Amino acid sequence: MKLIKYMKKVFMNYEPYHSGIHTVFRNSPMKYNAETLEWLNPEEIFACIVSLKRKYAQDLLDKGIMKFNSPENWIKYAIENSTGRGDVLEGNFETIKIPHSNKNFRWENHYSENICVAITKDFGYNLLHLKNQDVIKLPCYCFYIIRNKDFKIQLRDKRLIASAEIPSRYFRGLEDGRTWLEEQNLDEQERLVSVVIGDIEEFFCRIKKVLIDFGVEDNSIIMKEVEYEDLLTPYNKKREHPMELFVKNLQFSDQSEGRIVINTKNKKIRDKLVSETISIGAISDIAYLDDHYYAGGLTLEIEIMED
């Protein structure tokens, strides 16, 4: 099978129609069953998307300049602004239900661990969300994952077309819900754009090499897809730290998020990664810049031709 083009279309009633054709950089073909039109490797990552301000996107493409953040900052952002870019439930490892009538409950009596808490109200109860204070300070880097299984193969006008949808909530969540028109009113450098990376394995290898040279131990670099669970109901600790950073509440499932977490106890390295940038070198050989803000969502289409 040969991948010959990569098209995108947007369908919505509140922003101009936009389409384009790009080449996707891949190190292996996407294989499918010609009879069932199903992928042979459905879990394989087709590409990942890093969405960020235009003023940072070109530097990522041309120089590989990346900026890690921390769950601590995302929690703070959610408290001060809104969910989307921020999430007050980041880093939860356990949730406790406290009836309103129990005014004498003290979480300190239940845990000796280095923890902090967040409180939400749900179904008439206060919910106490426990977080490890060291874990929520760990450097994290996030991206959107598109897998082969996200593409549905169909025969259309005697052509094989595979299409996938990226919901508007992903893009608008990163921009606090702004519409396409509201985004256009921003300075051009402040608008959200996307860097689409086709060779995800090579991307990770370059990141890993730079981090190891930076002083990070190989086994401290964790790359994993985020899972989505109901974090607004009581539950006991399920995972060893820091794997709670790879779990988010169900409301964010449209984000299809992957993360790189640096599980280091070296405070100097941790703080430097969160406060400064790193450079992995140009990635323009494995990625391209898409400068459109998809407030109405994005349809990806691939036309497939047999060798």
Side-chain angles (χ1 to χ4, degrees):
M1 186 201 80
K2 183 167 62 178
L3 190 67
I4 65 165
K5 61 182 175 180
Y6 176 76
M7 303 186 301
K8 55 183 183 297
K9 299 180 180 179
V10 186
F11 304 94
M12 76 300 287
N13 57 12
Y14 50 85
E15 74 174 90
Y17 177 90
H18 175 80
S19 67
I21 298 177
H22 293 276
T23 300
V24 174
F25 305 87
R26 293 182 54 83
N27 59 11
S28 62
M30 299 169 71
K31 298 179 180 180
Y32 70 98
N33 185 311
E35 294 183 0
T36 64
L37 297 185
E38 294 180 349
W39 299 110
L40 297 182
N41 302 303
E43 296 299 327
E44 182 182 51
I45 295 178
F46 170 79
C48 70
I49 298 175
V50 178
S51 295
L52 66 175
K53 301 293 186 184
R54 183 191 293 271
K55 62 185 178 183
Y56 304 124
Q58 200 65 52
D59 279 345
L60 172 59
L61 195 68
D62 296 340
K63 304 173 186 176
I65 294 179
M66 301 171 56
K67 176 69 167 60
F68 281 78
N69 208 329
S70 72
E72 184 177 53
N73 288 337
W74 297 326
I75 294 167
K76 182 179 179 182
Y77 187 91
I79 293 172
E80 296 177 350
N81 299 275
S82 64
T83 56
R85 277 188 287 172
D87 179 11
V88 73
L89 300 179
E90 280 281 1
N92 285 4
F93 68 82
E94 185 166 347
T95 292
I96 300 172
K97 181 172 66 175
I98 310 172
H100 287 305
S101 59
N102 193 344
K103 297 180 180 180
N104 297 319
F105 179 88
R106 291 183 60 83
W107 58 267
E108 297 98 324
N109 296 336
H110 294 255
Y111 293 90
S112 58
E113 203 171 352
N114 178 28
I115 64 173
C116 58
V117 300
I119 298 176
T120 63
K121 295 182 182 297
D122 193 52
F123 302 113
Y125 292 93
N126 284 331
L127 293 177
L128 196 66
H129 305 281
L130 307 183
K131 309 167 190 289
N132 182 290
Q133 294 195 71
D134 293 327
V135 168
I136 63 173
K137 290 180 171 65
L138 294 178
C140 297
Y141 191 81
C142 306
F143 45 89
Y144 188 98
I145 292 177
I146 310 169
R147 296 188 180 276
N148 289 355
K149 68 180 181 182
D150 296 324
F151 288 88
K152 306 304 179 185
I153 306 175
Q154 295 179 320
L155 185 62
R156 188 190 306 168
D157 297 327
K158 298 182 180 180
R159 298 182 301 155
L160 278 180
I161 303 294
S163 60
E165 303 288 335
I166 300 180
S168 62
R169 192 175 182 278
Y170 164 68
F171 299 100
R172 297 184 69 173
L174 294 171
E175 288 295 270
D176 296 328
R178 275 194 285 270
T179 64
W180 181 85
L181 185 58
E182 290 170 335
E183 190 77 5
Q184 300 314 298
N185 290 332
L186 298 177
D187 180 86
E188 184 177 359
Q189 294 301 309
E190 295 296 323
R191 297 174 193 168
L192 188 78
V193 299
S194 299
V195 175
V196 182
I197 303 164
D199 193 340
I200 191 70
E201 291 183 7
E202 177 61 22
F203 181 55
F204 285 165
C205 284
R206 296 180 190 183
I207 294 172
K208 197 169 186 178
K209 181 180 184 304
V210 169
L211 289 173
I212 291 173
D213 290 344
F214 194 78
V216 178
E217 294 182 1
D218 190 345
N219 60 5
S220 296
I221 305 170
I222 309 173
M223 302 178 186
K224 187 177 180 296
E225 187 173 359
V226 169
E227 299 174 20
Y228 299 92
E229 299 178 0
D230 184 1
L231 301 183
L232 287 174
T233 55
Y235 62 91
N236 296 323
K237 182 179 177 181
K238 303 176 183 178
R239 303 167 176 87
E240 295 300 316
H241 301 314
M243 300 313 292
E244 63 264 35
L245 296 184
F246 294 96
V247 182
K248 297 186 70 172
N249 197 35
L250 287 173
Q251 73 180 99
F252 296 106
S253 59
D254 285 343
Q255 292 180 349
S256 187
E257 187 174 330
R259 284 186 173 180
I260 302 172
V261 173
I262 312 305
N263 184 27
T264 178
K265 295 182 180 180
N266 186 316
K267 185 177 184 300
K268 184 178 179 180
I269 290 178
R270 183 189 70 196
D271 293 348
K272 194 169 184 178
L273 282 174
V274 171
S275 62
E276 300 179 13
T277 60
I278 64 169
S279 174
I280 65 170
I283 61 170
S284 53
D285 59 324
I286 59 171
Y288 69 87
L289 176 64
D290 186 335
D291 63 359
H292 190 78
Y293 173 55
Y294 295 97
L298 169 63
T299 298
L300 303 172
E301 291 192 346
I302 304 167
E303 182 174 351
I304 304 168
M305 292 187 66
E306 297 292 339
D307 292 326

